[in-house]
Amino acid sequence: MTTPATAWPLENAVFSAAMLAHRLPWADAPARALGLDSLTREGAARGVLAHLHRSRSGRPVRLRTPFGSFLVPLGPADTAGLLAAGAASDALAPAVRLDAAGRRHGLHPHV
């Protein structure tokens, strides 16, 4: 398997902005009021992923954001492969944190 391409700095910034927009429930209101569907949360995410798909020929890309680094699959086969590899290595198990002594503690979703 080849090493995934690393996104350009501007792609990282736009992907980060799209992730941030998903955390702001009111972000769609101004764009919808102006009829700018491409600036809604879903429109921005679709646009970023479409650009990455075109610029990377559909191969996975590594993105670095303030929220962490992500390997983003851009095709169904890559997505299925990554999910299968994650399931085989127990990476899809419930999230845990380690304390200073190395003990595992389950993480609970925010209310």
Side-chain angles (χ1 to χ4, degrees):
M1 186 171 153
T2 62
T3 303
T6 301
W8 300 320
L10 183 58
E11 291 171 334
N12 288 324
V14 173
F15 188 81
S16 297
M19 287 181 67
L20 179 61
H22 270 279
R23 295 174 181 237
L24 304 172
W26 52 265
D28 287 348
R32 288 194 194 286
L34 295 171
L36 301 172
D37 289 334
S38 63
L39 296 180
T40 62
R41 294 180 293 177
E42 293 80 19
R46 273 193 312 271
V48 170
L49 292 175
H51 166 76
L52 290 172
H53 194 273
R54 282 190 311 272
S55 68
R56 302 290 186 252
S57 300
R59 300 300 305 154
V61 63
R62 184 175 312 282
L63 290 148
R64 290 183 175 85
T65 74
F67 306 105
S69 291
F70 297 90
L71 180 61
V72 179
L74 299 171
D78 292 325
T79 302
L82 287 172
L83 286 172
S89 65
D90 290 328
L92 302 179
V96 298
R97 71 172 177 85
L98 299 176
D99 63 13
R103 291 184 299 266
R104 294 163 104 37
H105 299 278
L107 297 177
H108 302 287
H110 294 287
V111 177

